[in-house]
Amino acid sequence: MAPYDKPEFVACLKRTFATCRQPLPDGEVLSVYWAKLEPFPLEAVAAALSKHLDVSSFAPTPAEILKHLPKRGDDRPEADEAWAIAIRAADEQETVVWTTEIAEAWAVAQPVFHGDEIGARMAFKAAYARITERNRGLNAAPQWVVSQGHDSARRKEVLAQAVREGRLQLEHAKAAVPLLAGPGGEKDEPTPDAKAVENLQRIKDMLRGWQSAHDRAAANRERRAREAAAALDEAKREIGRRVAAHMGARP
């Protein structure tokens, strides 16, 4: 959590304590809660408080909240970092190294990104929290994959950086598609990384379909707006003609 999350954090904690019919601790005790929970995203803390209420009628201690939070160090970017990675996919020239979880959350947010970036960010973070929580419950590790952009020079830079950061293996960075031909020229069963790329391709196909639908809807709105404006202008002219005819008919 960031410092600006503190008011919302205290509000979440206050609601939890009120639900348990307990008074909110004083400022000194609240600082202990903040210190213990600050490393986690606000959305994850709020979800942990909600989970606590599912299993206990007593106000939670920091230790009890931590039980419902994911273990740190599982290589998943937090929501804000994941969003910063995801929005690079809005530029078709840009190569993006992201997890399939980020790609899935971006599929939710992308249709509204160009018209409402704030709304898209909120939708992305909510979806990302839900997706990562689901996968942690399944004990599924994050899978880093490549979404290639059209800029080949930039692609090399991005892949080299991903290798340096340990998010991508060198052999995967070198391969355009990590699906190898087996003996006899037949393709082997896809590896987990290849399956992740296939899933990512399906997501990209959905994004293109949603974008087309979004563009068609925008075009229809513009056409209806033009028709309405033309009808209004014609109505105004008709009123003007009637007024002029009425005034001309007067003695």
Side-chain angles (χ1 to χ4, degrees):
M1 293 183 287
Y4 57 77
D5 288 324
K6 187 173 288 186
E8 182 59 28
F9 165 74
V10 174
C12 289
L13 207 58
K14 185 177 181 180
R15 287 192 294 269
T16 302
F17 272 73
T19 303
C20 297
R21 299 181 181 180
Q22 296 277 342
L24 190 68
D26 60 29
E28 186 174 356
V29 176
L30 284 178
S31 66
V32 176
Y33 279 81
W34 176 260
K36 295 296 184 182
L37 302 173
E38 184 181 8
F40 299 91
L42 178 61
E43 294 85 356
V45 174
L49 290 170
S50 178
K51 287 182 179 179
H52 173 82
L53 292 175
D54 291 338
V55 298
S56 177
S57 58
F58 297 96
T61 63
E64 290 170 328
I65 300 171
L66 287 168
K67 289 179 182 177
H68 299 295
L69 285 165
K71 293 181 180 180
R72 299 177 62 192
D74 66 355
D75 197 31
R76 279 182 172 86
E78 294 187 1
D80 287 329
E81 182 184 359
W83 170 249
I85 294 172
I87 58 176
R88 298 173 192 166
D91 182 358
E92 293 186 356
Q93 297 295 319
E94 184 74 11
T95 291
V96 181
V97 177
W98 55 1
T99 65
T100 53
E101 295 167 342
I102 297 175
E104 189 175 346
W106 175 246
V108 175
Q110 192 269 346
V112 298
F113 174 74
H114 293 291
D116 182 7
E117 185 171 342
I118 294 176
R121 180 175 180 270
M122 294 174 64
F124 173 88
K125 293 179 71 173
Y128 185 71
R130 182 178 66 255
I131 293 163
T132 53
E133 180 181 0
R134 176 199 68 199
N135 288 350
R136 285 187 175 108
L138 297 173
N139 200 28
Q143 295 180 328
W144 289 90
V145 294
V146 180
S147 175
Q148 295 190 36
H150 299 311
D151 188 332
S152 58
R154 177 61 181 157
R155 186 186 311 143
K156 293 177 182 178
E157 295 175 7
V158 171
L159 295 181
Q161 182 178 353
V163 171
R164 288 194 298 269
E165 293 175 348
R167 291 179 169 177
L168 204 64
Q169 297 297 316
L170 181 59
E171 58 269 24
H172 297 157
K174 290 180 177 179
V177 178
L179 191 61
L180 304 178
E186 296 296 329
K187 291 181 178 179
D188 291 334
E189 176 68 18
T191 64
D193 288 312
K195 290 179 180 177
V197 172
E198 291 175 357
N199 290 335
L200 181 57
Q201 185 59 50
R202 284 194 290 271
I203 291 172
K204 291 172 72 176
D205 291 341
M206 286 189 295
L207 289 180
R208 283 194 289 269
W210 287 337
Q211 185 62 48
S212 297
H214 176 75
D215 291 342
R216 288 195 298 271
N220 287 334
R221 286 194 298 270
E222 292 178 2
R223 177 178 54 79
R224 288 194 295 269
R226 289 195 299 269
E227 291 174 352
L232 179 60
D233 289 341
E234 179 58 30
K236 289 179 178 178
R237 285 193 293 270
E238 179 61 23
I239 292 172
R241 286 193 293 268
R242 291 183 180 181
V243 170
H246 176 72
M247 295 297 293
R250 293 178 62 184

